[in-house]
Amino acid sequence: MKLLIKGGLVVDPLGKIDPAADLLISEGKIEAVEKDIKYDGAQIIDATGKMVVPGLIDMHVHLREPGFEAKETIATGTRAAARGGFTSVACMPNTRPVADDQSVIKFICERAKETGVVNVFPIGAITKGSKGDELSEMADLKAYGAVAFSDDGFPVSRSDVMRRAMQYAKMVGLPIISHCEDKELASDGVMHEGYMSTVLGLKGIPAAAEEVMVARDIILAELTGCPLHLAHISTVGSVRLVREAKARGVAVTAEVTPHHFTLTDRAVAGYDTATKVNPPLRTDMDVAAVKEGLADGTIDVIATDHAPHTDEEKDVEYQYAPFGLVGLETAVGLVFTELIATGVLTPVEAIKKLTVNPARILGINKGTLAVGADADVTIIDPNIKEVVDVSQFETKGRNSPFIGRKLNGLPVMTIVNGNIVMHERKIIEK
């Protein structure tokens, strides 16, 4: 059956579509985008008072399958994505086994077709086992569906290996996504190094642990000409380095997470292990810097770094808990509450960082409502309010630092390839 979305405010980051247009969807594609469409027999979706946007793309999630199904599966992770308004996700390769060969990439793609409810794009490992020594077979990974390369969580410490990785990635035409962290500087720190770490008696991770690797990878990108995407940057210095690199014409892009533009290291004061993330929550100055970077275009993408863990893993003393929090189901609400309502970004600017920009960086044919495009659409009600309740989450993870927080502006419908997969905050069961 055809879907006809009427009465909504169309938010097109490319500015080519009339905001007052209706959308007609047929056989998984956008068939028409124009005013006052009439089509007998179509299922009418009344979007009055809501925003109709291209399907959201999260280019940084951890689906945990294969190997860590107790934390998350492709089925539960994609259900969480759909509830969060995302129609596509790119999943990191730190699975078990690591997604460093064609068999794992092939498994993820097949499993996503069998059990997933949104589009899944795997990211292949830069090095075998993400050990930082021997490069993966990058051309094979791309042939089987990888859209980028990353050793996320395990930074490539050897500069010679990273240089060769960028040279090969450029040859195969995919970007490198870098987790920027100097492990020696970070040592065994568990939170941001500063006043709060001293007060709380926890070992800190200095901002320099991130910034020296941001600087190195920008220099290597400049040397090799490889497109470089910097994951979850979080400090004043990182934002400045990216801004300066872009001014020189380096092919670098960057992302920030909702928790890094919302929370500071003061959130660690209660020793809630849901606040233990890598990179750590930073200071007020850092939060202000990433917001400024979002506003002036230095930061291209908003991504969640969705990282679910089991309750047993997180229910330990702070220093022993794994890094990571769940973010797919709170991201849009945090963007509207923290960025749009406060004037940091306009709705168009925010949606661009959630659609067009990640699609461009990954080279995937998504993030648009143009006629003929895949019918991936998200409908957001900017006036709806919701208190974060992890018992309603679709992800297996309950490690959210936002429990009890009131969010404004939430996705109310997710359409993937022309099929409604989420309506009124509930997944549509097949």
Side-chain angles (χ1 to χ4, degrees):
M1 175 180 289
K2 300 193 178 195
L3 301 178
L4 180 53
I5 303 173
K6 294 186 71 68
L9 173 66
V10 177
V11 177
D12 171 28
L14 298 179
K16 298 180 178 179
I17 298 174
D18 189 328
D22 297 338
L23 267 70
L24 181 63
I25 293 172
S26 176
E27 298 182 352
K29 299 290 183 181
I30 307 266
E31 182 174 310
V33 184
E34 54 194 70
K35 283 187 176 179
D36 198 22
I37 298 175
K38 293 181 172 59
Y39 192 94
D40 292 339
Q43 178 182 343
I44 306 296
I45 298 170
D46 182 4
T48 303
K50 303 178 179 66
M51 295 167 53
V52 180
V53 309
L56 307 182
I57 301 167
D58 189 343
M59 65 179 293
H60 190 154
V61 304
H62 299 269
L63 295 180
R64 304 300 195 197
E65 188 178 3
F68 300 103
E69 288 82 356
K71 298 171 187 277
E72 192 79 291
T73 65
I74 290 173
T76 58
T78 57
R79 287 171 69 95
R83 185 168 184 270
F86 294 96
T87 59
S88 298
V89 297
C91 56
M92 287 295 174
N94 56 339
T95 49
R96 186 172 60 196
V98 171
D100 63 359
D101 69 25
Q102 60 190 44
S103 66
V104 183
I105 296 294
K106 184 179 178 183
F107 170 84
I108 292 170
C109 292
E110 291 179 347
R111 194 71 175 149
K113 288 180 181 176
E114 294 168 356
T115 67
V117 297
V118 306
N119 306 299
V120 175
F121 296 94
I123 295 170
I126 296 173
T127 61
K128 292 184 178 179
S130 289
K131 295 180 178 177
D133 296 318
E134 185 178 358
L135 295 184
S136 63
E137 299 293 339
M138 291 181 167
D140 282 352
L141 298 184
K142 179 183 179 182
Y144 278 81
V147 295
F149 304 111
S150 180
D151 279 356
D152 186 51
F154 304 94
V156 180
S157 59
R158 285 178 50 185
S159 299
D160 61 330
V161 174
M162 193 57 148
R163 176 185 179 176
R164 289 203 308 276
M166 288 190 183
Q167 290 170 327
Y168 278 100
K170 183 185 180 188
M171 278 196 296
V172 302
L174 294 184
I176 290 284
I177 300 176
S178 180
H179 170 114
C180 290
E181 181 186 14
D182 184 311
K183 285 290 189 183
E184 282 69 38
L185 276 175
S187 187
D188 54 353
V190 297
M191 67 173 292
H192 175 69
E193 179 182 283
Y195 173 77
M196 286 305 299
S197 65
T198 303
V199 169
L200 298 173
L202 295 173
K203 186 170 176 55
I205 301 172
E210 175 178 310
E211 293 161 359
V212 296
M213 292 294 269
V214 168
R216 183 204 70 172
D217 287 350
I218 286 173
I219 291 168
L220 293 177
E222 201 164 9
L223 173 68
T224 62
C226 176
L228 170 68
H229 179 74
L230 300 173
H232 46 49
I233 64 170
S234 65
T235 74
V236 173
S238 294
V239 175
R240 181 179 67 248
L241 287 164
V242 174
R243 184 179 290 121
E244 292 170 353
K246 285 190 169 186
R248 293 199 307 277
V250 182
V252 59
T253 54
E255 71 187 33
V256 68
T257 71
H259 49 278
H260 283 118
F261 64 65
T262 302
L263 301 174
T264 70
D265 56 353
R266 293 194 300 278
V268 184
Y271 297 96
D272 177 2
T273 56
T275 65
K276 185 177 177 182
V277 288
N278 188 9
L281 302 175
R282 303 291 189 181
T283 66
D284 287 316
M285 289 180 60
D286 296 302
V287 171
V290 297
K291 285 183 176 178
E292 184 180 353
L294 284 164
D296 70 13
T298 300
I299 298 172
D300 309 84
V301 169
I302 297 169
T304 66
D305 192 10
H306 174 80
H309 294 289
T310 65
D311 291 344
E312 291 76 15
E313 290 172 303
K314 279 290 195 178
D315 189 19
V316 295
E317 293 176 59
Y318 200 88
Q319 56 266 43
Y320 300 122
F323 291 99
L325 57 78
V326 291
L328 282 166
E329 293 170 78
T330 52
V332 171
L334 289 168
V335 168
F336 271 75
T337 305
E338 300 291 333
L339 299 180
I340 296 176
T342 57
V344 175
L345 296 177
T346 67
V348 172
E349 291 169 338
I351 296 303
K352 186 175 183 179
K353 295 177 193 296
L354 289 161
T355 57
V356 175
N357 288 354
R360 171 176 52 81
I361 292 165
L362 296 175
I364 60 176
N365 188 26
K366 299 287 184 182
T368 175
L369 295 175
V371 172
D374 294 340
D376 293 346
V377 183
T378 302
I379 299 178
I380 298 170
D381 186 342
N383 300 310
I384 195 172
K385 298 178 177 20
E386 186 175 274
V387 175
V388 176
D389 177 0
V390 294
S391 70
Q392 302 299 310
F393 280 8
E394 292 288 344
T395 175
K396 286 187 176 183
R398 296 292 180 264
N399 45 310
S400 171
F402 298 109
I403 296 171
R405 179 174 290 230
K406 183 183 289 185
L407 301 179
N408 302 328
L410 296 157
V412 293
M413 181 172 284
T414 306
I415 299 172
V416 179
N417 295 318
N419 299 307
I420 301 172
V421 298
M422 186 276 284
H423 185 211
E424 301 296 346
R425 313 288 293 139
K426 301 292 185 185
I427 300 299
I428 304 297
E429 304 296 343
K430 294 181 180 177

